[in-house]
Amino acid sequence: MEPRELDIEAPWGKIAVKLWGNQNDQPVLTIHGLMDNAGSFDGLIPLLPKHFYICIDLPGHGKSSHFPPYLPIHSEDYIMTYTIVMEHFKKEKFIIMGHSYGAQLGVLYSQIYPEKVEKLIILDSVYFMIRQVKYFKEDLEQKYDTILKLNTKQKNSKPPAYTYEEAVERIMKQRPFPLTPQGARILVERMLVPIGDNKYNFSIDQRLKVVMNPVRDAKLAIKTLTNFPIMCPVLIIFAKDNYIQRYLMQPIIIFYKKQKNFTIKFISGHHDVHLNTPELVAPLVTKFMNEQKSKL
């Protein structure tokens, strides 16, 4: 499959999309993690079954426009992106494959629009991070303060400039999880804006440092998942080395394990295993895509 690029019009600008495969095949809406982009799946998709893969740069990421300025970004805002893209292609039902934050959005979308999701593939993620109720005020206060400071900083200063190699090195150093140089170069290709003299700015919306997630403790999260369940078959692939996430999200994982439509698998690697070693992820995703509902 040879990829091709497309810009889809949105009320706030454009949604950049990287497409793989034939538009007449079953659509797979593919969503990257926070501060990543559609290139995150460049190594994985060529190893997967013949489908129509629609890889989105979420607003504020990659080549997509930012959301309107100054206000905080809420995770729920991104649900509009799914609808706009699928209406553009006139698709009513599709597979969702998401990594990290993209998978969390996929869970939320599957709860809101269960009739539109054929299958859900979650790559090393669980759910929006759960927090105890006692941190409600502290978390929101901190995020709103940070947004105001970011707005002031952006108004009064220019963004830093980097050479290509400096940008690659910065991505690798700031990553909280191991990322190969090849993986860093794949991501950088969609997030650099040339400004002359072989220098670049990053295209990433700085507000993504403080995205406003739904504030839920484990009890409320499980109640929401119970009352608004994910109806389709679900595959979760966990990276064995990312054990901290599984420890923090243990109540949700225990809930998932009780659901008959959930399959959970483990593979060697860390959080970005789909980007670092896609050959380990591909067989599990392929098997799941090829299975019929009756077998799950």
Side-chain angles (χ1 to χ4, degrees):
M1 294 182 288
E2 289 296 326
R4 57 196 186 278
E5 299 284 340
L6 176 69
D7 290 340
I8 297 175
E9 185 178 350
W12 57 85
K14 70 175 185 179
I15 301 170
V17 178
K18 191 170 188 176
L19 303 172
W20 303 73
N22 190 312
Q23 188 168 336
N24 295 322
D25 290 332
Q26 184 179 27
V28 181
L29 193 61
T30 308
I31 312 295
H32 58 80
L34 194 65
M35 296 196 178
D36 288 353
N37 54 61
S40 176
F41 298 94
D42 281 4
L44 178 60
I45 288 176
L47 305 177
L48 298 180
K50 182 183 177 183
H51 286 306
F52 180 45
Y53 294 92
I54 306 166
C55 301
I56 296 176
D57 282 341
L58 290 172
H61 299 75
K63 299 179 180 181
S64 287
S65 301
H66 294 190
F67 279 129
Y70 307 118
L71 295 174
I73 295 172
H74 294 78
S75 291
E76 291 91 337
D77 297 339
Y78 285 116
I79 299 302
M80 293 186 296
T81 308
Y82 287 59
T83 302
I84 291 169
V85 170
M86 297 317 293
E87 286 182 348
H88 173 86
F89 292 108
K90 297 179 171 60
K91 303 292 185 180
E92 295 182 357
K93 200 161 188 176
F94 48 96
I95 295 172
I96 292 179
M97 178 168 65
H99 168 247
S100 192
Y101 183 64
Q104 296 164 20
L105 293 173
V107 169
L108 179 60
Y109 188 92
S110 300
Q111 289 182 270
I112 300 172
Y113 301 107
E115 72 282 0
K116 295 184 179 183
V117 185
E118 186 75 29
K119 294 181 179 181
L120 175 62
I121 300 166
I122 297 173
L123 302 178
D124 204 47
S125 192
V126 181
Y127 192 73
F128 295 116
M129 187 61 68
I130 55 177
R131 292 285 282 168
Q132 296 181 40
V133 173
K134 65 181 180 180
Y135 297 118
F136 174 82
K137 177 182 181 297
E138 177 185 333
D139 283 355
L140 289 179
E141 184 178 35
Q142 186 179 59
K143 286 183 176 182
Y144 283 120
D145 286 348
T146 302
I147 286 293
L148 290 171
K149 290 176 182 177
L150 282 173
N151 287 339
T152 301
K153 181 179 179 181
Q154 289 182 305
K155 185 183 295 186
N156 297 327
S157 62
K158 293 182 178 181
Y162 304 92
T163 65
Y164 178 84
E165 292 301 329
E166 287 171 344
V168 171
E169 184 178 352
R170 183 171 179 81
I171 289 293
M172 294 183 66
K173 281 187 175 181
Q174 289 199 332
R175 202 78 170 185
F177 310 104
L179 182 64
T180 64
Q182 179 184 3
R185 292 178 186 279
I186 288 173
L187 293 178
V188 158
E189 288 298 326
R190 297 186 70 84
M191 61 171 63
L192 292 185
V193 179
I195 57 173
D197 296 327
N198 294 318
K199 292 291 184 70
Y200 303 86
N201 293 147
F202 281 109
S203 65
I204 294 173
D205 191 330
Q206 294 301 303
R207 291 174 293 171
L208 296 172
K209 295 176 180 178
V210 284
V211 169
M212 312 290 282
N213 285 330
V215 181
R216 294 170 181 157
D217 61 10
K219 184 178 179 180
L220 180 56
I222 291 171
K223 187 173 182 178
T224 304
L225 286 163
T226 301
N227 290 338
F228 303 94
I230 300 172
M231 305 300 293
C232 65
V234 180
L235 171 66
I236 302 178
I237 300 177
F238 282 126
K240 290 181 180 178
D241 293 339
N242 189 17
Y243 58 89
I244 295 178
Q245 173 190 221
R246 296 196 300 278
Y247 173 76
L248 294 174
M249 303 295 286
Q250 190 175 25
I252 310 298
I253 296 174
I254 291 172
F255 173 83
Y256 284 164
K257 287 180 177 179
K258 296 177 182 178
Q259 311 310 305
K260 293 181 179 180
N261 57 322
F262 277 66
T263 300
I264 299 177
K265 300 291 185 180
F266 292 83
I267 56 174
S268 298
H270 220 298
H271 186 56
D272 292 309
V273 63
H274 73 297
L275 180 57
N276 292 331
T277 51
E279 66 276 7
L280 298 181
V281 178
L284 295 174
V285 174
T286 297
K287 182 176 183 295
F288 179 71
M289 282 183 169
N290 290 336
E291 285 177 337
Q292 300 299 316
K293 283 186 178 181
S294 59
K295 294 182 180 180
L296 294 172

